[in-house]
């Protein structure tokens, strides 16, 4: 039995922090896990910038409300879910993900949570489990599932490499060059074909 594990941002929806960087006119916030392999370090840095600019959850959620899935993403997900189980494994947060899950037809998502003060300031974050993407894939394998995984960033590499089949999707040239043995695709039809072939 197969479960396909997908990253969210950069794969199915635009990068939330890049959209917020543009909306808030704070270019430093464009830094993502495509640039910084250490997610905890990245998040602490982001929270410092939010505090400095007196921005909180409300402002980020307003930006998220305007974000639509990438063209073709919902159709891809609908077709994928018609023949295999799918879990989105993301380092985003429940407070960010819900509006996007609604637009994607409520797929299953495993993600993290934010600590938010009464005034809306984001004061911290709780990671669901350490190294969550790789840990989740290994847990699924331990209960009898074969996993297929795809993502675009440094924090996706563990689950991609640990799966029976793993693919980079719309990744950076630097990540593709550092991992030349990983198949890399740019379109949903290419990724769909690769997943189907892996399951044959």
């Amino acid at each position: 039995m197969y479960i396909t594990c997908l990253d969210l941002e950069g794969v199915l929806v635009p990068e939330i922090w890049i959209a917020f960087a543009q909306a808030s006119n704070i270019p430093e916030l464009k830094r993502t896990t495509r640039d910084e392999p250490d997610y905890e370090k990245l998040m602490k840095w982001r929270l410092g910038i939010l505090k400095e600019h007196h921005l909180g959850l409300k402002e980020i959620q307003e930006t998220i409300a305007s974000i639509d899935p990438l063209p073709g993403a919902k159709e891809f997900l609908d077709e994928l879910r018609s023949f295999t189980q799918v879990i989105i494994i993301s380092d985003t947060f429940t407070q960010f993900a819900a509006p996007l899950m609604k637009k994607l037809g409520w797929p299953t998502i495993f993600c993290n949570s934010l600590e938010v003060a009464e005034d809306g300031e984001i004061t911290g974050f709780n990671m669901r489990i350490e190294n969550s993407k790789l840990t989740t894939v290994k847990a699924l394998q331990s209960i009898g599932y074969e996993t297929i995984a795809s993502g675009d960033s440094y924090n996706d590499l563990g689950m991609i490499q640990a799966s029976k089949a793993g693919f980079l999707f719309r990744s950076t040239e630097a990540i593709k060059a550092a991992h030349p043995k990983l198949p890399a695709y740019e379109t949903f039809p290419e990724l769909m074909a690769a997943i189907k072939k892996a399951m044959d």
Side-chain angles (χ1 to χ4, degrees):
M1 292 182 71
Y2 286 95
I3 288 187
T4 300
C5 301
L6 299 174
D7 178 34
L8 177 64
E9 294 177 65
V11 174
L12 298 170
V13 304
E15 293 279 353
I16 290 168
W17 287 97
I18 290 177
F20 186 63
Q22 292 165 339
S24 61
N25 204 23
I26 305 172
E28 307 96 282
L29 287 174
K30 288 185 178 179
R31 189 168 178 78
T32 71
T33 49
R34 288 167 158 242
D35 313 297
E36 173 53 68
D38 187 332
Y39 188 73
E40 195 152 322
K41 177 181 171 186
L42 178 64
M43 271 308 299
K44 286 177 178 173
W45 179 77
R46 286 168 169 167
L47 295 189
I49 292 175
L50 293 179
K51 190 175 181 69
E52 180 187 328
H53 290 271
H54 308 290
L55 295 168
L57 180 60
K58 177 176 172 284
E59 289 81 7
I60 299 174
Q61 286 179 328
E62 285 171 356
T63 296
I64 292 169
S66 71
I67 295 175
D68 287 321
L70 293 168
K74 185 178 185 300
E75 294 77 8
F76 166 79
L77 204 51
D78 287 346
E79 182 181 345
L80 192 60
R81 292 163 72 195
S82 75
F83 64 85
T84 184
Q85 297 295 309
V86 179
I87 298 175
I88 297 170
I89 308 176
S90 174
D91 278 338
T92 194
F93 304 95
T94 54
Q95 295 93 334
F96 290 179
L100 299 169
M101 293 305 98
K102 184 177 181 181
K103 291 178 181 179
L104 286 169
W106 297 111
T108 299
I109 184 169
F110 293 173
C111 60
N112 305 305
S113 60
L114 293 168
E115 297 170 4
V116 184
E118 284 187 17
D119 66 357
E121 181 188 349
I122 301 171
T123 55
F125 55 96
N126 294 309
M127 303 301 282
R128 181 172 53 84
I129 193 168
E130 190 176 344
N131 218 346
S132 65
K133 298 188 180 192
L134 174 60
T135 305
T136 302
V137 157
K138 286 187 170 177
L140 291 168
Q141 292 165 350
S142 78
I143 56 171
Y145 288 98
E146 296 272 20
T147 60
I148 297 170
S150 185
D152 68 326
S153 297
Y154 285 106
N155 62 340
D156 300 313
L157 292 171
M159 73 171 181
I160 290 171
Q161 292 165 330
S163 291
K164 181 180 180 185
F167 313 107
L168 291 171
F169 186 68
R170 296 185 177 175
S171 192
T172 66
E173 293 306 317
I175 293 174
K176 288 189 280 191
H179 301 276
K181 291 185 179 178
L182 290 180
Y185 302 108
E186 296 297 320
T187 70
F188 288 119
E190 288 174 331
L191 182 58
M192 181 67 76
I195 292 171
K196 286 181 175 178
K197 185 176 179 182
M199 294 174 65
D200 284 345

